[in-house]
Structure formats: structure tokens, C-alpha cells
């Protein structure tokens, strides 16, 4: 392995870990934000080189595995963790929580928005709205409830 390769591997590792630290910092900074869901970084191999190929099994041997060396890493994905958080009573009948991977659907200003923030209130027409005044969407109740 040459010096240039060693420097590239180190550089790619520092860059990837810098992104991981940034995501962790964002998680910490928003820990008390209503409905915030933490993110997680996954890494993947950027470049790999084959040192020796694998072989198929024979009547006497079970075969051999290939030998590879990874030469750098990169961020594979930054994914949200939508697992349920701890429910906390607020004392307001209009505040809601959502379980699973769902979202509340809000409509206002000609746009549809999705949120996990269940801090709602009633407007002057008794519509359930978000703190920004967007209408909470849902299904109407029929005679079978």
C-alpha cells in the first residue's frame, strides 16, 4: 500500500466520521424539540481491492473465501428512527400522539404537510388545527363510527 493510498483511506474515514459527528450534534441539539426523531448514519465501503479470488468447493475441500481489502469508506445513508417515544401527558385534550411510522396530515395555504407534532388546538370554527393554523386532515365519522 502506497503513501497516497494510505492518505486517501485516512481522508475518507475523517470525512465520513465528520458527517457522523454532525448527525450526532443535530440529534443532541434537537433532543427537546417537539416530535423530533433522531437520525442514524450507516457507512459503506467506497473502494475495495481483491487480493485473492475465492474458489468453488470440490470433492475434497469446501472451497476458499475471497480475500479483499477495503480502501476507504463513505456515508451510505442517513436514516430517521421513527420508533415511538415516551408519551407525556400535557393536560390538553387536543394534543395527540402517533404510534408507528405514520404522520399527521395538515392542509393550509394550498399545501399539504406531514408532521409528527401533535400539539393541536381548536380554531374559532371548532376545527382542529396546528399551532401554525393548518387544518388537521382525517376521515369523517359515519353512522358506524
Amino acid at each position: 500500500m502506497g503513501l497516497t493510498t494510505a492518505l486517501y483511506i485516512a481522508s475518507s474515514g475523517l470525512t465520513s466520521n465528520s458527517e457522523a459527528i454532525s448527525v450526532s450534534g443535530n440529534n443532541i441539539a434537537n433532543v427537546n424539540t417537539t416530535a423530533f426523531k433522531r437520525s442514524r448514519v450507516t457507512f459503506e465501503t467506497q473502494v475495495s481491492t481483491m487480493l485473492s479470488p475465492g474458489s468453488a468447493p470440490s470433492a475434497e475441500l469446501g472451497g476458499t473465501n475471497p480475500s479483499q481489502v477495503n480502501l476507504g469508506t463513505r456515508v451510505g445513508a442517513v436514516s430517521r428512527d421513527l420508533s415511538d417515544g415516551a408519551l407525556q401527558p400535557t393536560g390538553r385534550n387536543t394534543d395527540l400522539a402517533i404510534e408507528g411510522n405514520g404522520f399527521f396530515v395538515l392542509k393550509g395555504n394550498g399545501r399539504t404537510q406531514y408532521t409528527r407534532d401533535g400539539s393541536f388546538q381548536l380554531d374559532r370554527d371548532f376545527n382542529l388545527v396546528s399551532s401554525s393554523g393548518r387544518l388537521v386532515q382525517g376521515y369523517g365519522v359515519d353512522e358506524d363510527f
Side-chain angles (χ1 to χ4, degrees), residues 22-33 36:
S22 176
V23 169
S24 294
N26 186 48
N27 289 339
I28 293 168
N30 288 295
V31 71
N32 288 326
T33 302
F36 176 77

Side-chain angles (χ1 to χ4, degrees), residues 55-70:
S55 64
S58 66
E60 293 84 31
L61 290 173
T64 58
N65 291 326
S67 179
Q68 294 179 325
V69 174
N70 296 329

Side-chain angles (χ1 to χ4, degrees), residues 31-110:
V31 71
N32 288 326
T33 302
T34 302
F36 176 77
K37 293 298 181 181
R38 73 181 184 94
S39 295
R40 171 178 168 240
V41 176
T42 55
F43 300 99
E44 62 185 24
T45 300
Q46 188 165 8
V47 179
S48 67
T49 185
M50 180 81 66
L51 297 178
S52 65
S55 64
S58 66
E60 293 84 31
L61 290 173
T64 58
N65 291 326
S67 179
Q68 294 179 325
V69 174
N70 296 329
L71 302 174
T73 186
R74 66 179 174 201
V75 173
V78 178
S79 56
R80 292 251 186 247
D81 177 9
L82 293 178
S83 61
D84 298 334
L87 295 179
Q88 297 181 1
T90 63
R92 295 179 52 189
N93 293 336
T94 55
D95 286 350
L96 302 172
I98 196 160
E99 291 181 320
N101 295 337
F103 289 87
F104 294 109
V105 181
L106 307 176
K107 192 161 211 140
N109 298 335

